[in-house]
Amino acid sequence: MSEENNLLLEVDNLHTSFFTDAGEVKAVNGVTFNLEKGKTLGIVGESGSGKSVTAYSIMQILAETGRVVEGEIRYKGEDITKWDEKKLSKYRGEKVSIIFQDPMTSLNPVFTIGYQLKEAILLHTNKNKDEAWKRAVEMLTLVGVNEPESRMKQYPFELSGGMRQRVMIAMALCCEPDILIADEPTTALDVTIQAQILELMQDLQKKLGMAIIMVTHDLGVIASMCDEIIVMYGGRVCERGTADDIFYHPAHEYTKGLLRSIPTTENMNERLVPIGGTPINLLNMPKGCAFCPRCENAMKICLEEVPEEYQVGEHHRASCWMNVMDLYESEEAKA
Amino acid sequence: MSENEKKPLLKVEHLKQYFPVSQGFHKIPLKAVDDISFEIMPGETLGLVGESGCGKTTVGRTILRLYEPTAGRIAFEDQVLFDSGELYDEEGNQILDEKGRPKKGRRVEVNMLPYRKKMQMVFQDPYSSLDPRMTVEEIVGEPLDTHHLYKNKKERREKVLSLLETVGLNAEHAMRYAHEFSGGQRQRIGIARALAVNPSFIVCDEAVSALDVSIQAQVLNMFEDLQDKLGIAYLFIAHDLLVVQHISDRIAVMYLGHMMEIADADELMNHPIHPYTLSLLSAIPIPDPETARHSHRIILEGDVPSPLHMPTGCPFRTRCKYATEKCAMERPPLTDRGNGHKCACWNR
Ligand SMILES: Nc1ncnc2c1ncn2[C@@H]1O[C@H](COP(=O)(O)OP(=O)(O)O)[C@@H](O)[C@H]1O
Ligand SMILES: Nc1ncnc2c1ncn2[C@@H]1O[C@H](COP(=O)(O)OP(=O)(O)O)[C@@H](O)[C@H]1O
Ligand code: SF4
Ligand code: SF4
Ligand SMILES: [Mg+2]
Ligand SMILES: [Mg+2]
């Protein structure tokens, strides 16, 4: 019962494609997950795996050539892919907000910080100009911008990278959305500033209670922020589960390879084990498992058929034929 | 022989690189690198870390003399490549004349062309550092042309193919254009090009930073293999500290153009002394949920000051929680704390 009420977002078999001169680019190919109130979900995968396109599909801010071709995105039970622009523009900002790697994607260089914050608040609330101004100052204070009153009069270029990131977060949260999507929010920042921003996001989540979708290629950021994790490869979900499932009991060959290939404090004096081969080309997808051309343990079935998703733990699911083998073998052992 | 092995390949002393920048009608010096000294042994990897803008790239480019140093001394294989002539005593203090002006020795500036063969650089962006209109064979062969490293066309081709093989590419790749390759492959092409002249030293400036982790591991292993096989020394610049620890023998930490700490890689990561290094290390997101749940970030307040408004005394003092009055008065020297672990701090 309570689980039902906590459910904010259901992404159900999402397929998103771009229709280009070179053909249909199937950027997202059957992504499924749920997001509950106040939780942090991580989406991780190498560049081009479809993380951003998944995020943009949820925001409905895809490029003109892109379209959700199959599946549903349900916000509190309603499929937003069926909504008109009017309904969507209320949903964006008030219900779900997004921040990007580059703050200048959200900030306009020719207007002051204060003007932009105020406009965003006026657009989404019934506040009058003075109230909106007050709210903007409040938000800047909340995200740790010092001397907020004078910052309001400054232009984005007058701020440091970390400060601009804070302003973008203030902008995204000024209408207290239920969900904040963060698309590589700290990728361009130094580790010290990254730590500030991650700390800020966790802090704001405690205060405001929003759910976060953290999109990143950085396994360190994922491990330190997320309750649940989705691992993507070639537009598909390889594996999903809790942070402990993914890091301590990976059940997809790609996840295993990914974890072996990163330098950690443990493997410092060992040789890294890279994943062989080259990144995937979406215009030339293998027939079976997307990871097959780079998988050391590929079997015959992997070439032929896309692996189905299997439950491998309480909250842990993986799409790799290896698990079926394991299940099959353990069944056989029992018999 | 063993005498010889103990000699550094590269010795940098009191290196300064100031860039004149306009401020209003005036030109003022931006002190990108301010009095830095270090050594690199043959076949060794020195990692160089620090926040963006702290001067890492400038150090790399200045020791290759892609920039003319403002002051200091650079020696490579016993040959002084550059010496601005300032004199220093044993303790590293500048020697002044009776009138308090820096005493000057002889200025040295050698022709770099022969050394370009021995000292190479690999860049971060495999996309922009390779000419998209050139084939891989042309790109890798170009330095062979510059330094006349073959007798005939056949030998040139053979050399190119063997270089491609060294970095895990093949003959089929030679005829293709750089833009047809993925990021990891382009980085290999850039490395093959750097290897063409048979260098003994390579500056790797964020050379794996733009690559996905699975590909990054391939390239890191390749750097290590090349070092084992060819005895190349690296100055390895990167902002990912775990990557730097993995590949480096020693690590140097820079802040605002100054060297804060330098030590063996594991020693620096496990027993850091400098307050800046401490907070830098605590900020690394560790890819392990259990560690993450129990670790505590030492959050550094604020941003790095502009190098145009360098704090007096210790450059780190505006963000340092150990700062005392002395830190504002005098710049702490880099002192040896045992086993070659050096740190520049008054209070730790
Ligand atoms: N506007 C577009 N037109 C065509 N293809 C696109 C477009 N946007 C993204 N793609 C493709 O979709 C795939 C997934 O991209 P993306 O979601 O951005 O990956 P990432 O995981 O790095 O965020 C990539 O192969 C990319 O080339
Ligand atoms: N050619 C240049 N002219 C003027 N300033 C420069 C130049 N190159 C670098 N700088 C400045 O010098 C400082 C150090 O830069 P850089 O060496 O690129 O740092 P890092 O590589 O550590 O990020 C920065 O403040 C940068 O703006
Ligand atoms: S399904 Fe087969 S090819 Fe794909 S990851 Fe699993 S074992 Fe490898
Ligand atoms: S010298 Fe002073 S300000 Fe600088 S790092 Fe040490 S304690 Fe901090
Ligand atoms: Mg992306
Ligand atoms: Mg740099």
Side-chain angles (χ1 to χ4, degrees):
Chain A
M1 188 59 203
S2 70
E3 224 173 64
E4 288 278 281
N5 289 340
N6 282 336
L7 197 57
L8 277 178
L9 187 76
E10 299 158 88
V11 176
D12 188 357
N13 191 29
L14 176 70
H15 288 71
T16 304
S17 290
F18 294 94
F19 296 88
T20 68
D21 295 340
E24 179 183 357
V25 178
K26 296 185 175 176
V28 172
N29 223 324
V31 167
T32 298
F33 63 84
N34 292 341
L35 180 66
E36 287 176 16
K37 259 187 198 153
K39 294 279 185 201
T40 302
L41 173 101
I43 303 183
V44 69
E46 58 192 49
S47 50
S49 57
K51 305 183 296 295
S52 295
V53 174
T54 302
Y56 299 174
S57 300
I58 297 169
M59 284 301 286
Q60 291 285 299
I61 49 167
L62 294 163
E64 232 155 64
T65 51
R67 173 153 68 76
V68 173
V69 289
E70 202 187 321
E72 293 191 347
I73 299 168
R74 291 186 294 275
Y75 171 76
K76 293 190 170 165
E78 279 190 63
D79 183 5
I80 64 145
T81 64
K82 307 264 165 21
W83 286 3
D84 60 17
E85 191 49 39
K86 192 162 160 245
K87 231 173 151 186
L88 282 171
S89 71
K90 278 192 78 67
Y91 160 83
R92 292 184 206 115
E94 283 173 46
K95 312 293 181 198
V96 186
S97 272
I98 188 164
I99 58 174
F100 304 93
Q101 175 174 336
D102 178 5
M104 293 316 283
T105 319
S106 311
L107 299 176
N108 190 325
V110 303
F111 295 114
T112 61
I113 304 296
Y115 178 83
Q116 297 186 57
L117 273 167
K118 210 182 67 190
E119 287 301 301
I121 294 162
L122 287 174
L123 183 70
H124 290 290
T125 64
N126 299 323
K127 289 188 162 62
N128 67 33
K129 278 189 176 170
D130 288 344
E131 288 165 345
W133 182 265
K134 256 183 74 188
R135 173 80 182 144
V137 175
E138 244 173 64
M139 285 310 296
L140 287 180
T141 313
L142 188 67
V143 298
V145 168
N146 55 0
E147 300 163 46
E149 299 271 0
S150 56
R151 297 287 183 185
M152 294 278 279
K153 300 185 192 95
Q154 289 188 309
Y155 291 88
F157 73 87
E158 298 178 77
L159 307 182
S160 69
M163 271 303 155
R164 280 202 288 255
Q165 210 75 8
R166 284 172 191 270
V167 171
M168 178 169 60
I169 293 173
M171 189 103 99
L173 296 181
C174 62
C175 304
E176 304 206 359
D178 299 326
I179 303 173
L180 175 68
I181 303 178
D183 188 6
E184 309 267 8
T186 57
T187 301
L189 304 174
D190 281 307
V191 282
T192 50
I193 310 298
Q194 166 168 287
Q196 292 176 1
I197 298 295
L198 295 182
E199 195 90 352
L200 172 68
M201 287 177 68
Q202 285 177 320
D203 195 39
L204 291 173
Q205 186 174 37
K206 275 196 210 110
K207 283 188 188 138
L208 308 174
M210 78 276 185
I212 296 177
I213 299 180
M214 186 72 164
V215 175
T216 175
H217 67 278
D218 188 326
L219 286 157
V221 171
I222 284 278
S224 59
M225 293 286 286
C226 301
D227 306 304
E228 271 183 68
I229 296 170
I230 290 180
V231 183
M232 289 188 70
Y233 188 82
R236 297 187 190 140
V237 174
C238 300
E239 180 167 9
R240 53 200 176 108
T242 64
D244 287 11
D245 288 336
I246 301 295
F247 279 89
Y248 303 135
H249 311 285
H252 191 286
E253 294 301 306
Y254 172 65
T255 317
K256 293 180 197 168
L258 201 58
L259 291 172
R260 275 195 299 265
S261 65
I262 45 169
T264 62
T265 35
E266 272 85 55
N267 69 4
M268 239 353 125
N269 300 309
E270 294 161 27
R271 199 175 156 79
L272 297 175
V273 186
I275 300 176
T278 51
I280 200 163
N281 176 358
L282 287 184
L283 285 170
N284 189 10
M285 282 282 275
K287 190 168 156 223
C289 170
F291 187 57
C292 195
R294 300 176 70 187
C295 181
E296 281 181 5
N297 294 316
M299 300 164 285
K300 210 163 147 202
I301 187 171
C302 308
L303 281 168
E304 298 297 325
E305 283 180 54
V306 177
E308 284 167 38
E309 190 171 73
Y310 284 88
Q311 186 150 7
V312 293
E314 198 187 345
H315 303 287
H316 190 186
R317 294 179 168 77
S319 308
C320 166
W321 288 122
M322 206 58 110
N323 300 296
V324 187
M325 285 268 297
D326 292 349
L327 287 176
Y328 181 76
E329 275 167 13
S330 66
E331 288 289 305
E332 235 179 25
K334 268 188 224 155
Chain B
M1 190 68 208
S2 66
E3 263 295 273
N4 226 7
E5 265 170 13
K6 287 208 194 97
K7 273 197 185 156
L9 177 73
L10 176 77
K11 190 166 176 160
V12 174
E13 293 168 280
H14 302 290
L15 188 67
K16 292 180 185 169
Q17 183 63 60
Y18 298 175
F19 296 110
V21 295
S22 304
Q23 210 172 52
F25 293 107
H26 304 281
K27 286 249 191 250
I28 56 170
L30 184 151
K31 301 182 176 180
V33 173
D34 202 8
D35 199 347
I36 272 194
S37 305
F38 62 90
E39 294 176 355
I40 299 181
M41 305 302 277
E44 186 193 37
T45 302
L46 176 69
L48 188 56
V49 301
E51 285 163 287
S52 52
C54 72
K56 304 180 297 295
T57 296
T58 306
V59 168
R61 298 185 67 98
T62 308
I63 55 186
L64 297 190
R65 293 219 9 237
L66 297 173
Y67 296 141
E68 214 43 40
T70 307
R73 189 169 186 275
I74 304 165
F76 184 79
E77 288 178 341
D78 284 339
Q79 169 69 52
V80 176
L81 302 183
F82 180 89
D83 191 347
S84 56
E86 276 85 2
L87 300 172
Y88 290 83
D89 66 17
E90 299 268 297
E91 260 106 61
N93 300 314
Q94 198 162 357
I95 300 175
L96 306 176
D97 64 14
E98 315 77 57
K99 290 184 180 146
R101 289 173 311 207
K103 212 168 161 176
K104 279 250 186 178
R106 196 167 62 94
R107 188 180 170 88
V108 181
E109 276 178 66
V110 306
N111 173 12
M112 281 299 286
L113 188 61
Y115 293 93
R116 296 259 173 263
K117 266 201 307 201
K118 300 182 171 178
M119 308 168 85
Q120 283 287 309
M121 188 150 182
V122 176
F123 302 90
Q124 162 166 17
D125 190 358
Y127 298 90
S128 64
S129 60
L130 301 175
D131 186 338
R133 290 156 306 181
M134 285 166 77
T135 65
V136 170
E137 180 161 1
E138 286 164 348
I139 291 168
V140 177
E142 198 178 48
L144 296 174
D145 301 341
T146 313
H147 295 281
H148 314 290
L149 293 176
Y150 54 88
K151 289 194 257 338
N152 50 42
K153 272 240 160 76
K154 185 163 161 283
E155 194 186 338
R156 180 182 192 268
R157 184 161 174 84
E158 276 166 8
K159 284 206 163 165
V160 169
L161 294 186
S162 123
L163 283 162
L164 290 182
E165 200 179 311
T166 311
V167 298
L169 298 172
N170 58 43
E172 185 247 321
H173 294 125
M175 303 312 295
R176 287 163 52 189
Y177 291 88
H179 69 83
E180 298 174 46
F181 292 88
S182 67
Q185 287 173 316
R186 279 189 236 216
Q187 201 53 284
R188 287 167 190 275
I189 297 168
I191 296 164
R193 180 184 159 95
L195 290 177
V197 293
N198 203 6
S200 48
F201 174 62
I202 301 182
V203 175
C204 304
D205 191 1
E206 305 277 5
V208 299
S209 304
L211 305 175
D212 277 309
V213 287
S214 65
I215 306 298
Q216 178 176 296
Q218 292 177 9
V219 177
L220 283 173
N221 282 350
M222 194 177 76
F223 276 123
E224 292 183 341
D225 291 345
L226 290 170
Q227 186 164 62
D228 290 345
K229 222 166 68 187
L230 308 170
I232 303 171
Y234 301 121
L235 178 65
F236 198 91
I237 300 171
H239 61 261
D240 185 330
L241 284 128
L242 291 173
V243 166
V244 172
Q245 186 189 3
H246 187 87
I247 195 155
S248 304
D249 300 302
R250 285 185 304 137
I251 299 177
V253 181
M254 279 181 77
Y255 187 81
L256 265 183
H258 298 80
M259 181 89 76
M260 298 283 119
E261 186 165 8
I262 182 167
D264 280 348
D266 293 342
E267 163 78 9
L268 186 108
M269 299 295 280
N270 298 325
H271 308 287
I273 298 175
H274 199 281
Y276 178 59
T277 315
L278 287 171
S279 41
L280 201 57
L281 295 187
S282 86
I284 308 175
I286 302 290
D288 178 85
E290 193 55 28
T291 315
R293 278 191 282 269
H294 297 116
S295 67
H296 178 69
R297 301 182 190 119
I298 306 171
I299 298 287
L300 266 187
E301 303 279 322
D303 298 294
V304 188
S306 154
L308 290 172
H309 306 285
M310 190 81 73
T312 56
C314 173
F316 186 56
R317 71 175 169 82
T318 56
R319 297 166 91 192
C320 181
K321 63 174 185 194
Y322 300 89
T324 50
E325 234 169 81
K326 182 169 193 185
C327 307
M329 316 290 287
E330 225 181 313
R331 190 171 129 192
L334 195 67
T335 54
D336 201 322
R337 313 297 176 92
N339 291 329
H341 190 155
K342 293 181 187 166
C343 176
C345 175
W346 291 124
N347 297 330
R348 280 189 51 100

